[in-house]
Amino acid sequence: MQLKLALPKGRLLDKTAALLETAGMGFAGYHEGSRSYRLRGDRFPHLQAKVFHEKDIPVQVAVGNYDLGICGLDWIEELTVRYPQSDLVKVQDLEYGNGDLYMAASKASGISSAQELGTRQGSWRLASEYPNLAEAFALKLRLSRFVVFPVWGAAEVYPPESADLALISQPAADRLSDYGLVPLAPILSTRAFLIANRNSWEAKDMAEVLDLLCHCRMDVGRAESQPASAADVPRPPAPEEMAEDAVWLALPDGHQQAPTIRLLSGSGLKIQGYSPLSADRRPTVDLAGVRVKVIRPQDMPLQVANGNFDLAITGRDWLMDHLCRFPSSPVKEVLDLEFARVKVVAVVSKELPVDDVSGLRELVRDGRGLRVASEYVNIADKYARDNHLSPYKVIPTWGASEAFLPEDADLLIENTETGRTLAQHNLKIIDTLFESSSCLISTASSLEHPAKRGRISSIIDMVRSPAALSL
Amino acid sequence: MRKSSGMRVERCKGSRDLLPQDMARFRRLEAVFRDCCLSRGYEEIRTPVLEYLHLFTTAGTLTPDMLGRVYSFLDWDGWSGERVVLRPDGTIPTARLYVDNLAEQDLAKLFYVENVFSFEETGQETRERWQCGAELIGGTRPVADVELISLAMEVLSKLGIEAVEIRLSHAGVIKALLSALELSSQERSEILNQVLEGNVGALAQIKPQAPEAQRALSLFFDLAGRSSAFMKNLKSLSGAALPGLGPGLDDFIGIAQMLDSLGYSYQADLASGRDFEYYTGLIFQLFVGGAKVGGGGRYDDLIPLVGGRSIPASGFALYAHQLMDLLGTEDLPARRRILVKAESGGAQELRSCFDIAGRLREARCVAELDLGGRREADFRWVLSVRAEAAPLLLSDRVAGERFEIASAAEVLKILDERCN
């Protein structure tokens, strides 16, 4: 009997690989830097594993695509707090990957306890990678008015200017003060968990694998060490940064960071502390009245729409995704920065007898639903709708999307530079939706703001200079 | 090209179709409810299905559990994170409507027939429910509370629903009890949470230090009364052991006395209080055969909570989805039904069919054109339109008679004679 196991990338990978190795269930391709997603062990030929972003694992197990999975309790709770009926069984605490989730506020806000939130007037803005847990927290505290900003990452840098509260995951509470935050309430202590699909648990004999995993967990757990503190301590917000009419610029982390650094150095904008080696999400710029934060490019359009930032360097793909969701959003592209060029494409498995979107349309006419996986949930939804691919479901993913085809999705909306990675995963492009590159985004209200527009246009001019764009 | 296989699309989980028979019952319920409200000077309103989530969080009157079941989402312009909801409740939007539009009125008597939405995880129960609600904003207590009970009872009586059980509780008394008990803050919040989730009986589990208080508590929650005398007895006993209960009990006694004098029988059972957080005074619930068919009460804090002035308010809702199942269809007012058919299907005959059917409808008949798919046997009256000297042939299929006639007026004359 086939048994399917969902394994995490990222922070739990090393420990999980060690656990599997100790249990005699090691998978050759399961290590940091590996490009293979589909794994098969020698000792258990009936055991298949696939590697996912940790956040995708509870969903994949709950919907029954996988019998077993390993992921953090935080992502399990993030799913079940919203969908308590999810078909998930928490099988075993694996005792590694410890961390804590806190609701935290900026020190500058003067708030020191969760109870104070309920007594203050006004609307609270909560930023988090865990929007469902954040909402449950707000409801439980009976906050009279609140909004939740779901973010892809870097929630800790949002308070106090871009959010009042952040629900963040930290190895230790004292790290919070490095960000200028105070913990208001512990939300959850997270650890790696072995989870099972409820139906598999009820009906499938998984005892052999469970025995091995559960007996080895102690050893791996004991080897837990505290993560080394970052060499470069992040800088908490200084009081003067709270100035009312500061111009806020958002710069990207991740893949777009290196080309952005090149662009900025060519433009003559001197930014200190903006480097992939730095944990500092608040670099400084040598322009008076301009403040910078480093956040995820995915989150920038929403943040600019809300006036938390006046300018941001992001990708057109994320701008489009935002506009598909919120067509009347005030965010617009003000300058094409022409780097990080990718195509956003529709992708299927090479095995699928389909060469274009009309072929795909034919294929779904038999009424079996199409599963569309994408990080660009709103672009994918619009693409499927506009192309009459009904009935379809969009499966949100958090990275490593190409691993979803063909077992766990039929169509993928993904970006690609050369198409080589897609081909390596036995996938083919059947349509190109649009070309994306980095761009500078803003809103009319920022561009026309009487106190800010001078500084904003000088930043745009510097970035627009041929010296910057040729780099 | 392959042909579409005509895929079957199912009804959304937890939703209910209302079929013609259901709608006949629904409309009858609605008509009786509207008529009773209008004849007491209440005015009909309809609030939008979509409201901001913060209306319900600001009102602070829905528990976290209820708010966790609200259908909420981001609208197409919701980039600010402001969520909208399918209204989970009829009263809070009515309070908002009052504050928005009618705030200068010292008395607003409003009613509505609206659907409310709340997630129910099994999908066995319907997630969309219809309510017939009445809200009385302003007005003096306790007569306003009694007026609402009498309105609800009038509707049920006119619908022919007998054996309605009225259960009364009082949020003012429960709240005063909670503060009189001097609980630790942890105990208090645990009890409060249980009570808010609907288990007022949890109060009876408290074991207070003082034995008098314990005995008093048991008298409050273990027994139910059948007249205002019960509340008076409680009041005489509570003075020393449970101070601060006076005003709540006086209000409760006033209402009960009025109900006594109007001849309503009821059960006064403090532990029956539901949605306790919502209410400030009387809470009443209506049961038929063990099923709750409606309820309401006083919520004097609600209008200020949604931004209005301090003005008392109370209201109730009847649960249409429960009541519909109690109504028969046989007593629905029958209208005379006639099938109108063209004998040969010629253009001239068809024109006459449309013409005559129109005239019959003006006289409140149900005149159906023959479109096929209907059996003549289902009609008592069948009217054939012909291209002959006597152009109309009316058949009475019950009496087995036929009439050759010339005009719609003659048809109506025969119908009147035969049907009365």
Side-chain angles (χ1 to χ4, degrees):
Chain A
M1 185 173 40
Q2 285 293 325
L3 212 54
K4 294 169 81 183
L5 177 63
L7 295 174
K9 301 191 350 164
R11 68 177 189 108
L12 294 181
L13 191 148
D14 285 346
K15 286 273 160 59
T16 307
L19 171 75
L20 294 169
E21 202 60 52
T22 319
M25 292 164 49
F27 294 101
Y30 187 48
H31 54 79
E32 203 67 63
S34 164
R35 298 209 75 128
S36 47
Y37 293 115
R38 263 170 219 81
L39 311 171
R40 225 176 244 285
D42 299 332
R43 197 171 141 198
F44 298 101
H46 64 286
L47 184 64
Q48 290 175 39
K50 196 143 111 180
V51 182
F52 289 96
H53 191 285
E54 203 190 331
K55 192 172 182 177
D56 290 321
I57 290 177
V59 182
Q60 288 299 313
V61 173
V63 301
N65 287 344
Y66 291 81
D67 302 298
L68 295 168
I70 292 175
C71 63
L73 182 63
D74 47 350
W75 298 118
I76 302 170
E77 294 292 318
E78 170 67 7
L79 176 72
T80 54
V81 73
R82 177 100 195 170
Y83 306 104
Q85 301 297 304
S86 300
D87 282 333
L88 265 194
V89 182
K90 276 185 267 180
V91 174
Q92 182 76 55
D93 181 349
L94 297 173
E95 299 178 0
Y96 60 88
N98 297 356
D100 286 292
L101 264 57
Y102 296 95
M103 186 60 80
S106 162
K107 275 180 193 150
S109 68
I111 303 162
S112 58
S113 78
Q115 276 61 42
E116 279 175 57
L117 303 176
T119 56
R120 293 211 191 176
Q121 290 297 312
S123 183
W124 297 99
R125 299 166 300 164
L126 288 75
S128 185
E129 284 182 73
Y130 307 91
N132 298 338
L133 287 170
E135 184 176 314
F137 169 85
L139 290 177
K140 191 159 168 244
L141 262 192
R142 296 163 183 256
L143 296 189
S144 70
R145 197 161 174 176
F146 64 89
V147 296
V148 175
F149 293 134
V151 297
W152 285 68
E156 68 276 7
V157 77
Y158 283 73
E161 306 89 354
S162 327
D164 304 296
L165 306 169
L167 196 171
I168 56 177
S169 166
Q170 279 303 306
D174 52 14
R175 292 277 292 157
L176 289 173
S177 67
D178 294 344
Y179 305 117
L181 300 177
V182 282
L184 300 183
I187 302 293
L188 180 73
S189 279
T190 180
R191 285 154 332 268
F193 259 78
L194 176 65
I195 53 174
N197 173 267
R198 187 188 308 275
N199 296 320
S200 305
W201 181 256
E202 287 170 353
K204 232 173 180 176
D205 181 357
M206 307 186 288
E208 191 183 10
V209 168
L210 290 172
D211 276 349
L212 288 170
L213 284 175
C214 295
H215 283 121
C216 293
R217 79 196 151 85
M218 298 303 289
D219 308 330
V220 178
R222 263 184 227 118
E224 182 85 312
S225 60
Q226 286 301 313
S229 59
D232 196 350
V233 173
R235 216 168 46 85
E240 73 271 15
E241 291 187 354
M242 301 287 281
E244 270 293 300
D245 62 354
V247 168
W248 282 96
L249 169 65
L251 296 180
D253 60 7
H255 299 310
Q256 287 196 32
Q257 186 165 17
T260 303
I261 290 170
R262 285 197 293 277
L263 169 88
L264 295 174
S265 65
S267 74
L269 266 173
K270 291 192 176 55
I271 299 193
Q272 289 201 327
Y274 181 49
S275 120
L277 300 171
S278 168
D280 188 0
R281 291 193 171 269
R282 291 172 177 269
T284 51
V285 62
D286 63 345
L287 284 178
V290 179
R291 307 278 178 255
V292 181
K293 282 191 196 183
V294 180
I295 62 172
R296 307 299 297 272
Q298 294 95 318
D299 296 323
M300 290 178 180
L302 189 78
Q303 291 301 318
V304 172
N306 281 295
N308 290 334
F309 293 87
D310 300 289
L311 286 168
I313 294 178
T314 183
R316 192 173 299 109
D317 46 357
W318 294 112
L319 176 62
M320 292 293 283
D321 194 61
H322 170 76
L323 292 174
C324 286
R325 179 67 185 84
F326 302 115
S328 55
S329 165
V331 185
K332 57 181 185 181
E333 179 178 331
V334 291
L335 186 61
D336 183 356
L337 300 175
E338 297 177 12
F339 63 80
R341 285 180 180 281
V342 290
K343 285 186 290 186
V344 174
V345 291
V347 175
V348 296
S349 161
K350 276 185 186 155
E351 312 299 325
L352 210 63
V354 160
D355 298 313
D356 53 24
V357 67
S358 64
L360 200 58
R361 190 154 49 233
E362 279 301 302
L363 203 71
V364 296
R365 273 177 179 259
D366 63 5
R368 102 191 137 147
L370 188 75
R371 298 165 303 166
V372 188
S374 187
E375 290 181 64
Y376 308 114
V377 175
N378 305 302
I379 293 172
D381 187 34
K382 184 170 190 296
Y383 182 77
R385 197 168 63 234
D386 289 353
N387 285 292
H388 306 284
L389 298 176
S390 288
Y392 67 89
K393 275 186 207 170
V394 176
I395 304 166
T397 68
W398 305 91
S401 309
E402 58 270 29
F404 280 72
L405 298 189
E407 306 91 346
D408 305 318
D410 309 301
L411 175 68
L412 179 64
I413 306 297
E414 179 65 309
N415 69 60
T416 180
E417 218 169 319
T418 61
R420 223 171 294 141
T421 313
L422 293 172
Q424 277 166 9
H425 286 97
N426 200 32
L427 305 176
K428 64 182 173 189
I429 296 171
I430 57 164
D431 200 0
T432 299
L433 282 65
F434 61 91
E435 293 197 358
S436 177
S437 56
S438 281
C439 59
L440 194 61
I441 59 171
S442 186
T443 62
S445 63
S446 282
L447 296 170
E448 290 156 17
H449 190 283
K452 296 181 181 179
R453 66 178 173 225
R455 278 167 288 161
I456 291 175
S457 64
S458 63
I459 295 172
I460 296 174
D461 288 343
M462 290 171 89
V463 172
R464 200 201 307 268
S465 69
L469 288 182
S470 65
L471 283 161
Chain B
M1 214 172 201
R2 265 187 296 173
K3 214 178 149 209
S4 164
S5 59
M7 163 192 32
R8 186 188 145 116
V9 181
E10 287 174 356
R11 190 173 74 235
C12 220
K13 194 173 171 186
S15 63
R16 172 180 177 181
D17 288 322
L18 295 179
L19 299 177
Q21 293 272 314
D22 302 317
M23 279 312 294
R25 285 193 285 251
F26 182 89
R27 289 295 186 204
R28 180 166 164 240
L29 168 63
E30 185 181 46
V32 168
F33 176 73
R34 289 187 75 240
D35 188 52
C36 291
C37 289
L38 290 168
S39 66
R40 286 170 185 246
Y42 287 71
E43 297 173 293
E44 185 165 15
I45 55 163
R46 185 161 285 178
T47 65
V49 173
L50 292 181
E51 296 272 7
Y52 287 116
L53 172 64
H54 75 249
L55 170 64
F56 299 90
T57 54
T58 303
T61 49
L62 299 183
T63 62
D65 181 58
M66 288 154 89
L67 286 169
R69 293 163 184 275
V70 163
Y71 282 89
S72 79
F73 55 94
L74 292 174
D75 210 339
W76 295 111
D77 58 0
W79 60 84
S80 68
E82 191 81 77
R83 296 180 88 82
V84 292
V85 301
L86 300 182
R87 64 169 166 241
D89 162 279
T91 298
I92 297 170
T94 304
R96 201 246 335 118
L97 175 146
Y98 170 82
V99 172
D100 264 0
N101 305 282
L102 308 170
E104 75 288 353
Q105 288 187 19
D106 289 328
L107 180 67
K109 295 159 70 175
L110 306 172
F111 76 92
Y112 52 83
V113 179
E114 284 183 352
N115 48 357
V116 296
F117 300 85
S118 170
F119 180 71
E120 187 278 319
E121 56 260 7
T122 65
Q124 303 299 310
E125 284 184 50
T126 171
R127 296 168 184 174
E128 178 192 16
R129 293 153 187 268
W130 285 85
Q131 295 190 339
C132 300
E135 315 287 350
L136 212 170
I137 300 169
T140 47
R141 54 197 296 189
V143 64
D145 298 317
V146 175
E147 144 101 342
L148 288 169
I149 292 180
S150 107
L151 169 55
M153 293 300 285
E154 182 191 355
V155 174
L156 295 175
S157 154
K158 287 201 167 148
L159 288 168
I161 295 172
E162 306 292 338
V164 181
E165 190 194 330
I166 306 174
R167 281 187 211 162
L168 305 180
S169 180
H170 198 286
V173 176
I174 298 174
K175 281 177 185 167
L177 268 171
L178 265 177
S179 50
L181 282 172
E182 292 171 356
L183 303 169
S184 71
S185 70
Q186 162 125 27
E187 235 181 336
R188 194 187 159 85
S189 88
E190 273 171 23
I191 294 286
L192 191 63
N193 270 334
Q194 283 204 54
V195 168
L196 294 178
E197 298 300 345
N199 179 17
V200 175
L203 279 170
Q205 309 300 317
I206 306 170
K207 298 284 175 256
Q209 305 275 314
E212 311 91 86
Q214 196 171 338
R215 199 163 47 245
L217 209 55
S218 135
L219 288 167
F220 269 89
F221 286 107
D222 295 349
L223 300 171
R226 293 190 307 279
S227 85
S228 55
F230 173 71
M231 276 75 95
K232 285 184 186 161
N233 297 339
L234 285 178
K235 194 189 170 198
S236 67
L237 153 147
S238 66
L242 298 165
L245 293 183
L249 279 171
D250 283 339
D251 181 59
F252 204 178
I253 291 168
I255 294 163
Q257 279 176 331
M258 224 175 284
L259 290 172
D260 290 342
S261 73
L262 291 169
Y264 288 108
S265 52
Y266 55 85
Q267 204 185 38
D269 178 4
L270 281 169
S272 73
R274 296 268 172 233
D275 303 331
F276 156 90
E277 190 172 19
Y278 213 90
Y279 296 113
T280 54
L282 180 77
I283 303 172
F284 70 92
Q285 300 178 86
L286 305 171
F287 289 83
V288 174
K292 186 169 168 186
V293 299
R298 176 157 292 282
Y299 43 87
D300 287 346
D301 295 340
L302 184 59
I303 305 284
L305 279 168
V306 299
R309 64 180 157 140
S310 176
I311 184 167
S314 51
F316 74 87
L318 294 174
Y319 306 154
H321 59 282
Q322 292 281 2
L323 288 171
M324 275 165 61
D325 296 339
L326 299 174
L327 297 182
T329 50
E330 64 284 354
D331 43 358
L332 297 178
R335 282 163 65 178
R336 292 171 300 191
R337 293 163 55 88
I338 306 178
L339 182 68
V340 180
K341 53 187 282 193
E343 186 99 330
S344 68
Q348 177 64 32
E349 279 178 24
L350 280 171
R351 220 199 68 182
S352 299
C353 284
F354 274 91
D355 185 38
I356 285 169
R359 288 188 203 185
L360 294 171
R361 288 174 197 137
E362 280 169 22
R364 304 286 297 151
C365 291
V366 176
E368 285 192 49
L369 292 179
D370 182 20
L371 308 171
R374 282 269 197 246
R375 296 181 332 131
E376 281 188 26
D378 293 337
F379 291 79
R380 172 173 179 183
W381 301 100
V382 178
L383 184 67
S384 302
V385 177
R386 310 181 292 185
E388 287 176 27
L392 303 176
L393 176 66
L394 180 66
S395 311
D396 178 349
R397 299 181 58 91
V398 171
E401 288 182 82
R402 292 170 161 237
F403 306 90
E404 294 206 326
I405 45 184
S407 71
E410 284 177 73
V411 176
L412 289 168
K413 191 161 165 259
I414 296 169
L415 256 53
D416 283 342
E417 285 167 9
R418 298 280 158 153
C419 293
N420 291 323

